[in-house]
Amino acid sequence: MAEITASMVKALREKTDAPMMECKKALAEAAGDLAKAEEILRVKLGSKASKAASRTAAEGVVAIYISGDRKLGVMVELNSETDFVAKNDDFIGFSQELARLVAEHSPSDVDALSALQTSHGVSVEAHRTTLIGKIGENMNIRRFQRLQAQGHLASYIHGGSKIGVLVDLLGADEQLAKDLAMHIAASKPKSLDRSGVPDDLIEAERRVATEKAAESGKSADIVAKMVEGSVQKFLKEVTLLGQVFVKDDKVTVEQLLKQRQASVPSFVLYVVGEGMEKKANDFAAEVAAQAAAAAASR
């Protein structure tokens, strides 16, 4: 049996980024043949990735890239199964490289992004698969957006990269852009103005308001006014321009922008896992299941 040295393990680890013990096992199986050990690892890591693919990944991070002239911005959401993995340096580094690749290559969708080559010399998809095998959790590239500014961009990351904001500001100064980015993270507007609010959301609000107003026992014309008032209040709460500014509750964002002779052509807001069903894990049950599986395999 070939002797497996520390230098051989190190060389394989550097080539594959696989865990040390996995490298040692692969080298032993390959009788010290580095190329064959690399193939063995690719098969094993790929197998691990396949098993992980069915598990929900609703945690993760938002990564942001902004060009030096602050004219181009990118936001990417990369998901993991647990918040613990979302803090992993390799996972975070991968999310940042994804943002850079989107900025440089402007892929049309996640599939196109997955086909691009990373700095590791492999495709994004191949690197994602390797990371899944190394870390042991499913991870997915959920979405990305590329924003070309009319003015200049500001960004804000909050809550351990759980909330990300890009905002394009025309006029005013950098401080206002940063304040607006923080406002968006805190108030989570659904759109810039009324035109961007989905009709189904408005109709849902109108139905609720109608049912509430009908219970008041007032006349039909009063009920109609109550419903319209409720809908308009809702629109102010969910649109950036209609919201009260978080740093000054005496003005709306629209009023603030007029005062500063500025405007916001667009913004992007990502909240990690928004709209995804998150699995509630029973830790005790999970440990018991793992113990039972281990006992059954003996």
Side-chain angles (χ1 to χ4, degrees):
M1 182 176 177
E3 181 185 359
I4 308 303
T5 65
S7 61
M8 293 167 67
V9 174
K10 181 182 178 184
L12 184 58
R13 180 169 167 74
E14 287 175 351
K15 287 192 72 175
T16 64
D17 205 28
M20 188 181 301
M21 289 307 298
E22 293 285 352
C23 290
K24 190 172 181 179
K25 289 177 184 177
L27 281 164
E29 187 175 337
D33 185 322
L34 187 63
K36 187 175 180 181
E38 185 178 351
E39 290 182 11
I40 291 169
L41 276 178
R42 291 192 184 283
V43 171
K44 287 185 175 180
L45 296 182
S47 175
K48 285 186 178 181
S50 297
K51 290 176 182 177
S54 63
R55 302 198 295 263
T56 301
E59 296 294 340
V61 296
V62 171
I64 290 177
Y65 171 93
I66 294 184
S67 61
D69 60 4
R70 296 168 62 205
K71 288 291 187 179
L72 172 64
V74 170
M75 194 178 310
V76 174
E77 179 181 350
L78 178 65
N79 295 128
S80 60
E81 292 179 49
T82 65
D83 187 52
F84 179 77
V85 166
K87 297 172 183 175
N88 178 280
D89 288 341
D90 290 336
F91 182 85
I92 293 170
F94 183 42
S95 72
Q96 293 169 344
E97 180 159 26
L98 291 173
R100 177 186 62 79
L101 287 170
V102 172
E104 292 178 354
H105 300 280
S106 189
S108 57
D109 54 25
V110 171
D111 287 340
L113 171 58
S114 297
L116 295 176
Q117 188 174 63
T118 70
S119 59
H120 297 270
V122 298
S123 70
V124 166
E125 177 59 21
H127 187 60
R128 183 186 75 89
T129 301
T130 298
L131 275 182
I132 292 173
K134 177 184 177 183
I135 296 173
E137 274 198 18
N138 190 21
M139 56 186 71
N140 293 310
I141 306 166
R142 184 185 183 195
R143 53 182 173 169
F144 65 82
Q145 190 158 338
R146 209 169 179 270
L147 183 60
Q148 194 74 49
Q150 295 181 34
H152 57 277
L153 292 171
S155 65
Y156 180 65
I157 290 283
H158 181 74
S161 299
K162 298 299 182 188
I163 300 173
V165 177
L166 279 173
V167 59
D168 178 12
L169 181 67
L170 270 169
D173 55 20
E174 186 176 350
Q175 185 57 54
L176 179 59
K178 289 181 178 178
D179 287 345
L180 288 171
M182 292 179 69
H183 168 96
I184 292 167
S187 300
K188 298 181 181 59
K190 296 186 180 299
S191 68
L192 181 64
D193 55 27
R194 160 68 178 81
S195 65
V197 181
D199 290 339
D200 58 339
L201 286 182
I202 297 174
E203 287 310 307
E205 187 65 26
R206 191 180 299 279
R207 286 194 298 272
V208 172
T210 299
E211 291 179 11
K212 287 183 177 179
E215 295 174 356
S216 68
K218 299 185 182 297
S219 60
D221 59 329
I222 298 296
V223 165
K225 289 180 181 178
M226 291 172 65
V227 170
E228 188 58 30
S230 294
V231 171
Q232 292 306 314
K233 181 174 181 291
F234 167 75
L235 289 172
K236 288 179 180 179
E237 291 173 347
V238 300
T239 57
L240 176 60
L241 297 182
Q243 290 177 339
V244 174
F245 185 45
V246 292
K247 294 184 72 173
D248 182 357
D249 61 8
K250 294 181 175 60
V251 296
T252 64
V253 171
E254 184 173 26
Q255 291 168 339
L256 173 67
L257 290 169
K258 285 181 179 178
Q259 290 173 8
R260 303 292 292 275
Q261 296 183 318
S263 64
V264 174
S266 60
F267 72 90
V268 183
L269 167 67
Y270 277 4
V271 179
V272 169
E274 184 177 31
M276 298 175 71
E277 184 177 347
K278 296 188 179 184
K279 182 180 177 181
N281 290 320
D282 183 336
F283 184 69
E286 186 175 337
V287 171
Q290 290 177 355
S297 64
R298 289 171 188 165

